[in-house]
Amino acid sequence: MNVKEIAIFHVLLCVTFIVSGLAVNLIQFILYVALRQINPQLFRKLNYYLVYTIYGQLLFLIDWWGPATLNIHCAPDLLDRFATEHAVILMNHHYELDWLYGWMVGDRSGVLGNCRVYGKKVLKYVPVVGWAWNMSDVIFLDRNWEKDKLNLSSKLNELLDYPTPVWILLYPEGTRFSEEKHQASQEFAVSRGLPVLKHHLIPRTKGFSFTVSELDKSRISRLYDVTLVAGTSPTSAPPTLTSILCGRSTEASMYIREYQLKDIPTTDEGSSQWLMNLFKEKDALKDSFLQTGCFSELSGFPKYPPIQRQSRPWSLLISITLNSCVIIPLIYILLTGGIITRLVLVLMLGLAWFAMRKFINITKISKSSSYGAKKSTTSSDDKKKE
């Protein structure tokens, strides 16, 4: 048995994440109160490392504990520009680990602590990650467009004031892919005369259009589209959180394309059409990879050799240090403490196990949504024939 599959190790990693994360939240809060209004740039510089301390423990799981292989296909000079300026990143949301694969690229580009997303407002109340986001200019949405567009308008360009590059990560599909959502999306496309996508949901264009129109093009000039496929290699474990917690290696491939923001229409109709065309191309890229193992073979897009960037050591050092600082004292207290102390520790471990299982269940995708296997390429028309 792989020792990484033993549940107690997962629980201990979770305990360290919670304890250290709450400590980071406290430091963030103190700095937020002391510096945010007086010297916002200094706060942002310091906060970068605090956010990275939290992210680094999750990145450790996919970099070192259950090490993943990530093949990046892009123009030869693209990665050299990737981390030099602010950028908008478009990603598909099809796997339990797609956010972690995105973090791998962000970390190797040196911008992980400045990756920002649009999140549901309820997330700001979640300890550790949610609290960290709430003090880091993450944009929380009410799902009420009249409120949301005012919030977006005021917050978007604040991110561009950061002293180091910021990535604004957007998931235009708006929700994670599942077979049920895909079927509903295809039916919606047919009813509205939109393209029927084989591997993606119809993108939600309103937020994207508003973002493109609001961003100051003099301070942000590039948009990158990422098409991700994971778990198709015979040697890859399913791209799930359970896989990496158990130390199983996964494999993913992504195709990255670069666009100038100034070339994207700023009208609602123009930017919506641009995004729909982009998703037709993403669909062709993913379909080509699922059928041939190559993004370009059937799609007609340029073929690039895969690039694999080595893991940086920081997530490993952060995890070793924090786990040593938390677990060694816990073991000492467990061995030397009284019965009450031991019961409290056991209760704490039980709560950590419950929190971990809750998090895993939240990230799970229904088994009916395949991990990119070729069976997912079956079109809705084929299913009807069956």
Side-chain angles (χ1 to χ4, degrees):
M1 182 181 181
N2 183 348
V3 295
K4 294 179 180 178
E5 296 181 4
I6 299 175
I8 188 60
F9 291 122
H10 308 162
V11 173
L12 291 175
L13 288 171
C14 186
V15 169
T16 297
F17 179 75
I18 293 172
V19 172
S20 63
L22 292 175
V24 168
N25 288 159
L26 178 60
I27 297 171
Q28 280 183 298
F29 179 74
I30 293 171
L31 293 177
Y32 188 89
V33 172
L35 290 177
R36 184 66 173 81
Q37 298 301 323
I38 300 172
N39 193 335
Q41 296 296 56
L42 177 58
F43 170 75
R44 288 163 173 168
K45 288 180 180 178
L46 296 174
N47 191 50
Y48 175 96
Y49 297 101
L50 294 172
V51 172
Y52 189 87
T53 300
I54 294 174
Y55 285 4
Q57 295 179 71
L58 298 172
L59 186 68
F60 162 79
L61 296 175
I62 201 165
D63 265 349
W64 303 98
W65 187 261
T69 299
L70 180 62
N71 301 303
I72 302 172
H73 302 259
C74 64
D77 57 344
L78 185 148
L79 292 180
D80 295 332
R81 295 190 300 276
F82 220 15
T84 60
E85 59 186 2
H86 303 308
V88 175
I89 313 292
L90 300 184
M91 288 193 67
N92 43 329
H93 201 6
H94 296 176
Y95 307 97
E96 293 180 23
L97 299 181
D98 46 21
W99 55 283
L100 271 176
Y101 293 127
W103 283 15
M104 289 174 70
V105 179
D107 183 55
R108 285 145 179 76
S109 300
V111 299
L112 179 58
N114 275 352
C115 288
R116 299 294 183 264
V117 298
Y118 296 173
K120 297 177 183 178
K121 188 175 181 179
V122 68
L123 293 176
K124 70 192 298 183
Y125 304 109
V126 177
V128 184
V129 174
W131 291 353
W133 283 1
N134 196 29
M135 292 180 281
S136 304
D137 296 315
V138 164
I139 299 173
F140 293 102
L141 303 177
D142 283 299
R143 298 299 174 95
N144 180 318
W145 181 240
E146 293 305 314
K147 292 181 180 179
D148 288 340
K149 68 180 180 181
L150 293 175
N151 189 31
L152 283 169
S153 182
S154 64
K155 292 289 185 66
L156 270 174
N157 286 295
E158 285 186 20
L159 293 173
L160 305 187
D161 284 330
Y162 271 56
T164 50
V166 171
W167 283 1
I168 302 173
L169 276 65
L170 302 181
Y171 294 90
E173 290 165 288
T175 185
R176 183 181 289 143
F177 184 97
S178 71
E179 290 297 337
E180 293 80 7
K181 293 173 184 176
H182 185 218
Q183 182 177 352
S185 177
Q186 288 184 322
E187 292 171 354
F188 175 81
V190 171
S191 69
R192 297 297 179 90
L194 298 172
V196 177
L197 304 177
K198 293 176 66 176
H199 308 291
H200 293 80
L201 307 180
I202 294 295
R204 301 179 182 182
T205 59
K206 186 180 291 185
F208 172 79
S209 298
F210 189 82
T211 299
V212 169
S213 66
E214 284 290 308
L215 286 172
D216 184 347
K217 308 300 189 299
S218 66
R219 293 190 290 170
I220 180 169
S221 61
R222 301 182 194 277
L223 178 147
Y224 297 92
D225 172 65
V226 178
T227 300
L228 176 72
V229 181
T232 59
S233 168
T235 60
S236 173
T240 65
L241 190 58
T242 299
S243 290
I244 60 172
L245 273 174
C246 292
R248 301 168 191 153
S249 298
T250 63
E251 184 173 343
S253 297
M254 60 172 57
Y255 193 94
I256 305 177
R257 295 177 291 166
E258 178 183 10
Y259 299 90
Q260 296 291 324
L261 271 175
K262 63 182 178 63
D263 296 331
I264 301 174
T266 55
T267 63
D268 288 348
E269 183 178 352
S271 57
S272 295
Q273 186 59 53
W274 185 91
L275 187 63
M276 283 301 310
N277 290 337
L278 182 80
F279 265 74
K280 287 170 62 178
E281 295 171 354
K282 289 170 70 69
D283 218 44
L285 283 164
K286 185 168 183 178
D287 190 57
S288 178
F289 192 93
L290 292 175
Q291 293 196 48
T292 68
C294 173
F295 286 109
S296 305
E297 191 71 24
L298 300 179
S299 68
F301 287 94
K303 185 175 183 179
Y304 303 113
I307 300 170
Q308 294 181 6
R309 287 194 157 184
Q310 295 300 313
S311 303
R312 300 201 306 166
W314 310 121
S315 62
L316 177 62
L317 293 176
I318 286 171
S319 293
I320 291 175
T321 301
L322 293 179
N323 278 284
S324 298
C325 291
V326 173
I327 294 174
I328 291 176
L330 282 180
I331 294 175
Y332 177 79
I333 294 171
L334 189 63
L335 293 176
T336 60
I339 185 65
I340 301 298
T341 301
R342 293 176 181 178
L343 286 175
V344 169
L345 285 179
V346 170
L347 177 62
M348 186 175 70
L349 292 174
L351 290 173
W353 179 86
F354 176 80
M356 180 186 66
R357 299 309 307 177
K358 186 73 173 175
F359 180 67
I360 291 174
N361 288 334
I362 289 173
T363 64
K364 277 185 178 179
I365 296 178
S366 169
K367 290 182 180 179
S368 64
S369 175
S370 65
Y371 299 117
K374 291 189 178 182
K375 65 180 180 180
S376 69
T377 65
T378 306
S379 69
S380 58
D381 290 338
D382 292 336
K383 290 179 181 178
K384 290 176 183 177
K385 292 176 183 177
E386 292 174 358

